[in-house]
Amino acid sequence: MSGEAAAGLRRDAVGLREVLFQSVTAMAPAAAVAASIPAGAAFAGGSLPLAVLIALVACLFTASCVAELARELPAAGSVATYAAQGLHPAVGFLVGWGYVFVEALVPPLLLLQLGFTAAGTLHDEWASYPADLWWPWALAGAAVIAVAGYLGVQASARFGTVLGVFEIAVFLVFAGWLIIRAGGHNTLSVFGTSHTADGYGGVSGVFAGSVYTVLAFAGFEAAAPLAEETRDPRRTMHRAVLGAALGIGLFYVVTTYAMTVYFGPGRFASFGAAGEASWQGVARASFGLFWVLVFLAVVNSTIANANACANVSTRTAFALARIRVLPRVLATLHRRYRSPVAGIAVQTAVAVGAVLGLGFGYDPVTAFLLLATVIVTVVIGVYIVVNLACAGYFLRRGRPSLKPVRHLLLPLLGIVAFVPALLTAAGLPVFDFVTKLTAPVSYAGPVVGVWMAAGVVVLLVLVRRHPERIAETARVHLEDDAPDVVAAQNGARPR
């Protein structure tokens, strides 16, 4: 391996604040509140705040497992390393193979949303602006993310922190305003089952809404791949993963409550992601120019999310390339910034290619839905495997380190919580509220299947020719680094 790759990522480059916002922005809180969570309103209606609260509790089960493993195994390989240690190195390889693939698709997903959101809004304000001129905004976003990644984890993480603070602040201020304007209509009954949508009465409507809401929590684990670049990674990773899941979950509860009581629980089943019955529609109709801040927060959220997930994909690819189960070039680092420049170049090329190819091949909204289905299906599958890995890892370590509730019960509950979400994301009509996918969104399943089948072929070749490389997926490199290497990266002379 080249000297650039061997020296490793920059140690102690970021702290808790930056790593916390790596996970926060990967969850895209503003975009989730405005576009993702309202999907649950068709089922939960005015009881959507309860559905969000249930989804928060469910996601904390898996967040606890990720946090426990991140503390024990601080590695850029993150979920791949966890699966390798807790289950088997071959499983770790397949998890990493799938995770790199879908995390590389998140930036084009968000760039598509940036494009059609900006173009549609500008067209609504100025009819002379073409509604289909979305691609310049997507390409501009790709350039911003590439530059932030190239300048290293400090620049990228701090950029994400600023963006994350802005979007959260805008929606919290707006939520507070909505609660005040709701006045006497504020009610805790939205945390009960009396306001569910027609046809989905009681607990069934709340459950259906929570399944769709669970998808808004994806990304809480995004801090983990920065472990090798973080100060005091064992403590920091644990706090960042749990803090992001809990903090943004409560943010979702507050903002959803605010809009529900303002808009009216009895008619909230009609609330959605666009039009008058949406966050931007309410802001435009009732709060004057404040809608501009809501719009900017959603746009900001797409860029921040794309930036965070570009960090995830390039670090995970670096970790797998370092042990030569992915092409070696992806382990190449910039001499000064210690950023994985080859991975960033590949990530940018994939993003631009997917945005333009799918966006023009179909249309940006259809391309967005196709990519979202691919991504969510794999990510939820990864969460289920990580829950299993948590139980497996602590069972292997022996009884002294095993805590039955934290390491056995919570992983089981996490699996139970995410199985319905997996079936929903894949469009498998096991429940009556699951909508069967239609083409081209239904192509997501075959795409995932082909990619994972290719991973199995690569795995079999590596097992036959280079079994030691597969075994390396379980290695925690941070524990093996010599003090001199770390000192040299921080500017000190070797001893």
Side-chain angles (χ1 to χ4, degrees), residues 198-223:
D198 292 341
Y200 296 95
V203 175
S204 64
V206 173
F207 174 74
S210 69
V211 169
Y212 281 86
T213 303
V214 160
L215 308 181
F217 286 82
F220 58 79
E221 82 292 348

Side-chain angles (χ1 to χ4, degrees), residues 372-398:
T373 306
V374 171
I375 291 164
V376 171
T377 301
V378 176
V379 167
I380 292 179
V382 168
Y383 289 164
I384 291 172
V385 173
V386 168
N387 279 296
L388 290 170
C390 181
Y393 176 78
F394 286 98
L395 284 171
R396 285 182 172 186
R397 291 196 61 181

Side-chain angles (χ1 to χ4, degrees), residues 71-126:
R71 178 165 56 190
E72 296 290 326
L73 305 168
S78 64
V79 293
T81 305
Y82 308 158
Q85 288 260 3
L87 299 173
H88 191 277
V91 178
F93 168 79
L94 290 175
V95 166
W97 177 267
Y99 196 61
V100 167
F101 174 58
V102 297
E103 289 298 327
L105 294 180
V106 175
L109 171 83
L110 276 300
L111 294 174
L112 285 164
Q113 185 178 6
L114 169 62
F116 64 68
T117 299
T121 302
L122 292 176
H123 177 72
D124 290 341
E125 290 299 303
W126 298 284

Side-chain angles (χ1 to χ4, degrees), residues 34 124 174 178 259 262-263 271-288 290-292 294-295:
D124 290 341
F174 192 25
L178 291 171
M259 183 55 79
Y262 177 82
F263 190 81
F271 198 81
E276 294 182 1
S278 68
W279 276 85
Q280 191 167 317
V282 169
R284 187 189 293 269
S286 305
F287 296 92
F290 196 87
W291 75 267
V292 176
V294 174
F295 163 68

Side-chain angles (χ1 to χ4, degrees), residues 59 95 182 237:
C59 287
V95 166
M237 288 298 109

Side-chain angles (χ1 to χ4, degrees), residues 455-478:
V456 171
V457 172
V458 173
L459 173 64
L460 293 175
V461 171
L462 288 172
V463 167
R464 182 177 178 84
R465 297 183 179 180
H466 305 286
E468 74 283 355
R469 297 183 187 179
I470 297 300
E472 283 277 280
T473 57
R475 180 180 172 190
V476 181
H477 290 256
L478 195 62

